Amino acid sequence: LLILLGAFAPAIAALSVTAWQEGRPGTRALLGRILIGQVPGRYYAFALFYLITIKLTAALLLWMVIGARPRFSLPALLLSPIAIALSLPIQAGEEIGWRGYALPRLAERLGLAQASLVLGVIWAAWHLPQFYITEADTYQQSFVVWSLQVVAMSVAFAWLFARTGGSLLLVMLLHAAINNTKDIVPSGLASPGGVFSLHASAVSWVTLLLMWGCAAYLLRQLRRSPPVQSGG
C-alpha cells in the first residue's frame, strides 16, 4: 500500500496544487500533456531503447575488457514489451508530478540543465525508503550508486520532455521502459553491502559511467533549450 501511495503521490500533489492555484483550466492543461504523442519516431525509439542500450553496452564492455560475462535474462527480454505496455499508465503517477509540474517550474528559475539535476536529486531521495523494504529488489543495495544513476537519468527525461514539446506520454514511456528492461542485464548484488555503501556490481558502475557520458552530451543541448512552459 505504501509503495502504491508513493507511486501516485507526486501526481496527487501536482494535481491538487494545480487545481488550487489555476483551477480547472490548469488541471486540464496539465493532464492534456499525456495526450501529446504526435512527435517524430526517433523520440519513441529513445524512450524504448535508452536504458537497454546502455545496459547491453556495459555488458559488452565488461566482456571485451576484462572477460567478465554479466548475467543476461532472456525471460525479462521476452516479457519486456508486454510489461512496458501494462505499466505505462502507472507511470503517470510519478511523471505528472516530476516532469509535468516540477520540471517546468524549476526550469523557469534555473534553466533546463540545472533543473534536471536538481529534480534528479529530489527524485532519487524520494525512492530511498524502497532500499529498506525486504521484498524490493533494491533492498540494501547501494543507494549511492543508484541515486547517481537516477540523476543522470533525470537529464535524459528532461531532454526528452523538452524535445517533445512537454509530452508526458513520452516520459511515461521512458519510465516504463527503464523499469521493465533494467533486469535484462541484472546489476543487483546477491550479497549487498548496505544502503550507503559503495559496494555495487561491475555492471552498475559501468552503467553509471555510460549514463553520465550520455547525460553530459544531453546537458549541453539542454543549456541551449528554452524552458518548457508550465501549464498547457
Side-chain angles (χ1 to χ4, degrees):
L1 181 60
L2 288 174
I3 291 175
L4 285 173
L5 179 62
F8 288 94
I12 294 170
L15 290 169
S16 299
V17 174
T18 300
W20 175 47
Q21 293 181 334
E22 303 175 24
R24 191 172 297 175
T27 304
R28 283 200 302 265
L30 177 56
L31 291 174
R33 291 191 182 279
I34 298 175
L35 303 178
I36 300 176
Q38 292 185 340
V39 300
R42 63 182 179 273
Y43 297 120
Y44 282 94
F46 180 89
L48 288 169
F49 299 114
Y50 162 76
L51 183 63
I52 188 55
T53 300
I54 289 175
K55 293 294 286 285
L56 289 175
T57 302
L60 181 62
L61 286 173
L62 286 170
W63 178 56
M64 293 176 62
V65 175
I66 64 175
R69 293 190 177 183
R71 291 173 294 158
F72 181 84
S73 175
L74 183 59
L77 175 62
L78 296 177
L79 291 172
S80 61
I82 298 173
I84 291 169
L86 291 176
S87 70
L88 179 61
I90 299 173
Q91 309 312 321
E94 286 197 55
E95 291 309 323
I96 289 173
W98 300 137
R99 255 58 63 170
Y101 183 87
L103 180 62
R105 288 161 176 80
L106 282 171
E108 287 174 0
R109 299 185 179 189
L110 306 174
L112 269 170
Q114 189 171 345
S116 69
L117 297 172
V118 171
L119 183 57
V121 174
I122 298 170
W123 187 24
W126 178 260
H127 289 83
L128 178 59
Q130 290 187 1
F131 287 74
Y132 293 97
I133 299 174
T134 54
E135 294 84 1
D137 59 2
T138 52
Y139 180 66
Q140 291 297 310
Q141 301 287 336
S142 174
F143 174 75
V144 178
V145 175
W146 182 88
S147 61
L148 290 172
Q149 291 179 351
V150 168
V151 176
M153 284 192 290
S154 181
V155 176
F157 274 78
W159 177 86
L160 184 62
F161 184 74
R163 284 302 180 99
T164 56
S167 170
L168 283 178
L169 176 63
L170 267 292
V171 292
M172 286 164 55
L173 182 61
L174 175 58
H175 203 146
I178 287 172
N179 286 351
N180 294 287
T181 61
K182 62 183 177 61
D183 291 327
I184 293 174
V185 182
S187 56
L189 291 172
S191 300
V195 174
F196 291 103
S197 75
L198 294 176
H199 185 49
S201 68
V203 172
S204 291
W205 281 108
V206 177
T207 297
L208 176 63
L209 292 174
L210 291 172
M211 282 182 170
W212 273 104
C214 179
Y217 173 76
L218 297 179
L219 279 169
R220 292 181 61 187
Q221 297 194 23
L222 284 176
R223 290 191 179 99
R224 298 193 295 265
S225 298
V228 178
Q229 296 298 314
S230 57

